[in-house]
Amino acid sequence: MPDPALDPEVLTKRFFEELDRFTKSSDTFAKLAASRLDIQIGQTPKTVIWTLNKAKLYHFTPVLPPEKRHPVPLLLVFALINRPDIFDLRPGNSFVKYLLHQGYDVYMVDWGRPGLEDAHYQMDDYVLDYLPRIVRAMQRHIGRREFSMLGWCIGAMLTTLYAAMRPNDGIRNLILLTAPLDFADKEAGPFNRWLTTEYYNVDELISQYGNMPGYMIDYGSKMLKPVENFISTYFKLWDNLDNPAVVESYLAMNKWVTDLVDFPGAAFRQWVVEFYRENRLMEGTLRLRGELVDLRNLRCNFLNVIADKDHIVPTCQSTTVMDKVGTKDKLLLHMRGGHIGMMVGSGANKRVWPQIDAWLAKRSQ
């Protein structure tokens, strides 16, 4: 019996399928090489309701009528590095849009792009000046005092400090995503080893640059997984140039990743010395403007979400805070994924987002 794989009709069909795939791939590659392909991120409609220096507070346009919305608004806080558009990456993969359809009034902080004139800013300024003003602006805008706050990465650290230092400002719920808080284990993750070595002269670095350049942070992050970041990603893209969904996903993430933001110099030095090296927050010795940060004062409902494959914030940096906070309503949620992929990966809208919503919805009435 003749081999079906050698049938002339089958071979002809496969030839033209491969020819069509090659044509599409070549066209996409040519457009990528010529920088003719672009994609917009952060497209969900929003309004600026407050500004201070480079920082802005956005309110996203609700999609549900008032009677179907949760009465407690949600404030999103991202890190001082990278842009907050990761919360609203693209249509079909937007945590913001998901929250809006679940009935939340969503606000988001944009820290802006610091210049040399902002090199003196410390964590103290963001926690004790910016966040309290942002919260008051949100409270005035929505006409309610109670609110929820969600922080991601360094944004999770900032919101933790705020919730511990200003527990009576109306915060009802705090959600942390991949929060870098405990640096006791100096062997946990490359960043811990790099930043705590005696050869890493953070004072000289800030003296030379003013702010920590975003491209240095980006390069350091990519060197944590050099093969994946510099080789595998492009092989995967090459193999899927005929797949618009894969190309669109790559373009969106690449646009966000390469939109670099500098880390204010004084805050970066504080981050390296007082957190990574001296672990003051978990040791109970951290002071902001002379005020001791006591995690026992964090009394709001508390959800701590960690990623099992996080190579930037190892899980040990996020878990021990559970024993330090003063709240009784607290939950540690282990999720599959990496530092960013946990929230924007292909399965985030089915695995992570619904669990965050289920926890928050019960506490937003």
Side-chain angles (χ1 to χ4, degrees), residues 23-44:
T23 302
K24 291 178 180 177
S25 298
S26 300
D27 181 61
T28 302
F29 177 75
K31 290 177 180 177
L32 282 171
S35 299
R36 288 167 50 202
L37 280 181
D38 192 16
I39 190 170
Q40 297 300 313
I41 62 176
Q43 295 185 60
T44 304

Side-chain angles (χ1 to χ4, degrees), residues 243-262:
N243 187 331
V246 173
V247 174
E248 181 180 325
S249 177
Y250 165 79
L251 288 172
M253 276 303 300
N254 186 64
K255 185 163 190 172
W256 177 75
V257 168
T258 57
D259 191 3
L260 304 175
V261 179
D262 295 345

Side-chain angles (χ1 to χ4, degrees), residues 152-314:
W152 193 348
C153 189
I154 295 176
M157 181 274 296
L158 294 173
T159 56
T160 299
L161 299 181
Y162 170 82
M165 300 186 76
R166 297 294 179 264
N168 300 317
D169 279 4
I171 183 168
R172 180 194 280 197
N173 307 302
L174 176 63
I175 301 172
L176 304 185
L177 305 178
T178 63
L181 299 172
D182 187 355
F183 305 95
D185 186 351
K186 301 306 180 186
E187 296 300 314
F191 274 144
N192 235 349
R193 293 192 290 272
W194 293 348
L195 297 179
T196 57
T197 176
E198 60 184 294
Y199 302 108
Y200 190 89
N201 192 334
V202 65
D203 293 311
E204 183 63 22
L205 181 66
I206 298 307
S207 173
Q208 292 293 326
Y209 288 94
N211 295 320
M212 178 61 176
Y215 71 84
M216 287 190 180
I217 299 172
D218 178 60
Y219 185 75
S221 298
K222 287 179 178 176
M223 285 302 294
L224 297 178
K225 288 187 174 182
V227 174
E228 178 178 321
N229 288 312
F230 294 111
I231 299 175
S232 303
T233 296
Y234 299 103
F235 274 114
K236 179 182 178 182
L237 176 63
W238 178 263
D239 289 339
N240 291 277
L241 284 175
D242 62 323
N243 187 331
V246 173
V247 174
E248 181 180 325
S249 177
Y250 165 79
L251 288 172
M253 276 303 300
N254 186 64
K255 185 163 190 172
W256 177 75
V257 168
T258 57
D259 191 3
L260 304 175
V261 179
D262 295 345
F263 202 137
F268 181 74
R269 184 192 181 280
Q270 193 176 15
W271 182 232
V272 172
V273 175
E274 298 184 12
F275 288 82
Y276 269 96
R277 293 181 179 176
E278 299 177 357
N279 201 25
R280 292 189 188 182
L281 176 63
M282 299 305 288
E283 292 292 333
T285 59
L286 180 66
R287 291 182 179 273
L288 300 185
R289 293 190 184 156
E291 184 179 347
L292 186 67
V293 182
D294 189 345
L295 289 172
R296 291 174 298 181
N297 292 331
L298 194 157
R299 297 187 295 271
C300 57
N301 306 320
F302 184 59
L303 175 64
N304 189 5
V305 186
I306 61 176
D308 65 346
K309 293 181 176 62
D310 194 336
H311 65 293
I312 293 177
V313 179

Side-chain angles (χ1 to χ4, degrees), residues 335-350:
M335 301 303 303
R336 296 202 311 272
H339 188 72
I340 298 298
M342 177 186 73
M343 287 295 291
V344 296
S346 58
N349 61 344
K350 295 181 177 63

Side-chain angles (χ1 to χ4, degrees), residues 63-198:
V63 299
L64 298 182
E67 63 273 12
K68 292 187 177 181
R69 291 183 228 155
H70 298 290
V72 180
L74 174 62
L75 175 64
L76 306 178
V77 183
F78 196 62
L80 298 173
I81 53 177
N82 291 113
R83 304 285 296 147
D85 294 328
I86 193 67
F87 282 118
D88 182 32
L89 192 59
R90 60 190 174 94
N93 192 8
S94 168
F95 183 51
V96 164
K97 183 160 281 190
Y98 173 83
L99 291 169
L100 293 173
H101 282 280
Q102 303 310 307
Y104 297 96
D105 258 299
V106 182
Y107 295 79
M108 183 178 76
V109 178
D110 181 348
W111 296 116
R113 301 177 186 276
L116 289 177
E117 68 277 11
D118 305 308
H120 64 283
Y121 278 106
Q122 296 183 299
M123 302 295 184
D124 312 48
D125 300 298
Y126 293 105
V127 174
L128 298 177
D129 284 340
Y130 277 85
L131 281 178
R133 295 183 184 187
I134 287 167
V135 165
R136 289 196 295 270
M138 176 181 62
Q139 290 169 330
R140 288 194 301 269
H141 185 264
I142 200 167
R144 292 187 62 90
R145 186 170 184 276
E146 285 193 311
F147 66 95
S148 302
M149 184 179 280
L150 183 151
W152 193 348
C153 189
I154 295 176
M157 181 274 296
L158 294 173
T159 56
T160 299
L161 299 181
Y162 170 82
M165 300 186 76
R166 297 294 179 264
N168 300 317
D169 279 4
I171 183 168
R172 180 194 280 197
N173 307 302
L174 176 63
I175 301 172
L176 304 185
L177 305 178
T178 63
L181 299 172
D182 187 355
F183 305 95
D185 186 351
K186 301 306 180 186
E187 296 300 314
F191 274 144
N192 235 349
R193 293 192 290 272
W194 293 348
L195 297 179
T196 57
T197 176
E198 60 184 294

